[in-house]
């Protein structure tokens, strides 16, 4: 927040204009409120960055100065920006403005008819062959590579989000029944969820927990940094992203990002005949429509499925 305060030279003196609300103050209050409601830090950071940037380029300070042209100026910033980048800008700003509208802080939804069309690329999802390549190539005598494979198999088997994975603690596991009980506090939709896991994954989890203790960790988190001074500050999402980029280059595996693994999990469920409503529940999606869009089946995959009907 300080960065944008300096760039925009906002001053509390503006607040002397009675009846007008500073965008800066409104965004600050919104973020404080949504932190209490459990919104993800990343989401709130995006809200702040996009709103402040839009105000900066338009030299706007008050909510009542915001209009359609301000939003269009921000969306179109940098003529070389990809459509997906522009849509991200629109999505973040629209989310904040809608909340302000609901609170009666903005008079009308000038953003409602603005849409950015993006050609969606087909996202394949992780395959079993890619999992086996990693299983055969990673060194399980190396803590980091063992930890990373445990994380990969965890998402592959359960379909959980990375933000949930990095907040997992050992007390949520029921090893007697091979169930993991995700508490609402680490779920994006703030709803608890129970999912099963295999004996193989159970063995990896127990070994990783023991290894964590061997390197001096005394906490409950499962996925941590290998460096003792970073145990309590581990951002496993960043660690995982860097490591998987290395594995992609070393082993030629293409789809091992967290979202790839979630898609692989979803597609495997569907291919075994599990109802899409169950798949949606397992993925913690808000609706089946979200799950359908998330899967991104290619035209060839659609053809293969339709051919099965004619056999």
């Amino acid at each position: 927040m300080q960065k944008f305060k300096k760039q925009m030279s906002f001053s509390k003196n503006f607040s002397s204009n009675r009846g007008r609300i500073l965008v800066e103050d409104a965004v600050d209050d919104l973020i404080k409120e949504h932190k209490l409601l459990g919104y993800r830090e990343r989401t709130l950071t995006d809200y702040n960055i996009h709103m402040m940037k839009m105000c900066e380029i338009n030299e706007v300070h008050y909510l009542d100065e915001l209009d359609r042209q301000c939003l269009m100026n921000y969306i179109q910033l940098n003529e070389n920006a990809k459509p997906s980048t522009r849509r991200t800008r629109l999505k973040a700003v629209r989310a904040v403005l809608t909340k302000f509208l609901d609170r009666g802080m903005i008079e009308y939804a000038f953003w409602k008819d603005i849409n950015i069309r993006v050609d969606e690329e087909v996202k394949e999802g992780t395959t079993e062959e890619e999992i086996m390549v990693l299983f055969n190539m990673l060194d399980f005598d190396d803590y980091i590579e063992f930890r990373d494979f445990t994380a990969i198999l965890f998402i592959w088997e359960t379909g959980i989000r990375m933000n949930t994975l990095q907040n997992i603690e050992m007390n949520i596991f029921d090893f007697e029944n091979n169930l993991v009980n995700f508490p609402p506090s680490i779920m994006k939709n703030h709803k608890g969820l129970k999912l099963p896991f295999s004996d193989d994954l159970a063995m990896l989890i127990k070994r990783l927990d023991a290894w964590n203790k061997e390197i001096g960790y005394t906490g409950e988190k499962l996925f941590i940094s290998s460096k003792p001074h970073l145990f309590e500050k581990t951002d496993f999402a960043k660690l995982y992203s860097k490591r998987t980029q290395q594995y992609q280059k070393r082993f030629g595996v293409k789809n091992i990002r967290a979202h790839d693994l979630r898609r692989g999990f979803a597609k495997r469920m569907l291919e075994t005949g599990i109802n899409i409503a169950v798949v949606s529940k397992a993925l913690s999606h808000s609706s089946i429509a979200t799950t359908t869009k998330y899967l991104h089946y290619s035209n060839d995959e659609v053809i293969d499925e339709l051919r099965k009907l004619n056999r």
Side-chain angles (χ1 to χ4, degrees), residues 129-165:
E129 289 74 18
E130 288 172 314
I131 296 293
M132 291 308 299
V133 167
L134 293 171
F135 175 77
N136 290 316
M137 299 302 293
L138 290 174
D139 180 3
F140 282 12
D141 290 325
D142 178 89
Y143 171 82
I144 293 175
E145 295 194 6
F146 180 84
R147 176 202 65 194
D148 293 346
F149 184 77
T150 303
I152 287 167
L153 191 63
F154 204 119
I155 302 176
W156 168 254
E157 285 199 9
T158 64
I160 61 169
R161 294 179 173 87
M162 175 53 67
N163 193 58
T164 298
L165 182 85

Side-chain angles (χ1 to χ4, degrees), residues 15-224:
S15 298
S16 62
N17 291 271
R18 292 187 176 183
R20 304 185 76 190
I21 304 172
L22 280 168
V23 176
E24 179 190 24
D25 290 345
V27 172
D28 276 349
D29 289 343
L30 182 72
I31 289 175
K32 289 175 184 176
E33 177 185 328
H34 282 67
K35 277 185 178 179
L36 294 175
L37 295 174
Y39 275 61
R40 292 188 302 166
E41 191 68 33
R42 175 182 168 184
T43 300
L44 298 179
T45 299
D46 286 347
Y47 285 174
N48 181 48
I49 289 174
H50 288 289
M51 284 297 296
M52 293 299 99
K53 190 65 178 178
M54 179 178 68
C55 290
E56 178 190 1
I57 68 167
N58 286 286
E59 298 183 354
V60 164
H61 303 293
Y62 296 99
L63 282 183
D64 59 19
E65 294 177 308
L66 293 174
D67 58 20
R68 180 188 178 88
Q69 191 57 52
C70 288
L71 180 53
M72 292 304 298
N73 289 343
Y74 179 52
I75 292 171
Q76 295 169 0
L77 181 65
N78 185 352
E79 62 182 18
N80 295 321
K82 295 179 180 179
S84 57
T85 300
R86 293 176 177 174
R87 187 172 65 173
T88 298
R89 294 171 183 167
L90 172 61
K91 183 178 178 181
V93 172
R94 184 165 54 194
V96 177
L97 293 177
T98 299
K99 296 178 191 304
F100 289 160
L101 180 70
D102 292 342
R103 290 162 173 74
M105 300 164 73
I106 290 179
E107 292 185 0
Y108 69 100
F110 55 79
W111 57 90
K112 265 197 171 180
D113 64 337
I114 302 176
N115 290 293
I116 307 294
R117 292 190 178 185
V118 177
D119 293 331
E120 300 283 359
E121 62 174 311
V122 174
K123 299 175 182 179
E124 299 174 7
T126 311
T127 64
E128 188 171 350
E129 289 74 18
E130 288 172 314
I131 296 293
M132 291 308 299
V133 167
L134 293 171
F135 175 77
N136 290 316
M137 299 302 293
L138 290 174
D139 180 3
F140 282 12
D141 290 325
D142 178 89
Y143 171 82
I144 293 175
E145 295 194 6
F146 180 84
R147 176 202 65 194
D148 293 346
F149 184 77
T150 303
I152 287 167
L153 191 63
F154 204 119
I155 302 176
W156 168 254
E157 285 199 9
T158 64
I160 61 169
R161 294 179 173 87
M162 175 53 67
N163 193 58
T164 298
L165 182 85
Q166 68 178 356
N167 286 297
I168 285 176
E169 296 186 351
M170 287 302 297
N171 57 18
I172 69 173
F173 293 105
D174 174 1
F175 289 108
E176 184 176 339
N177 298 298
N178 276 19
L179 286 173
V180 56
N181 184 15
F182 299 105
S185 60
I186 65 173
M187 301 296 289
K188 183 180 180 181
N189 63 359
H190 309 293
K191 295 179 181 179
L193 182 68
K194 283 187 179 181
L195 293 172
F197 54 87
S198 68
D199 289 336
D200 289 337
L201 182 55
M203 180 179 65
L204 294 179
I205 293 169
K206 290 177 182 178
R207 174 63 186 121
L208 180 58
D209 180 50
W211 207 335
N212 287 343
K213 291 179 173 60
E214 289 171 18
I215 63 175
Y217 180 60
T218 58
E220 286 292 319
K221 290 277 182 72
L222 180 60
F223 297 102
I224 60 172

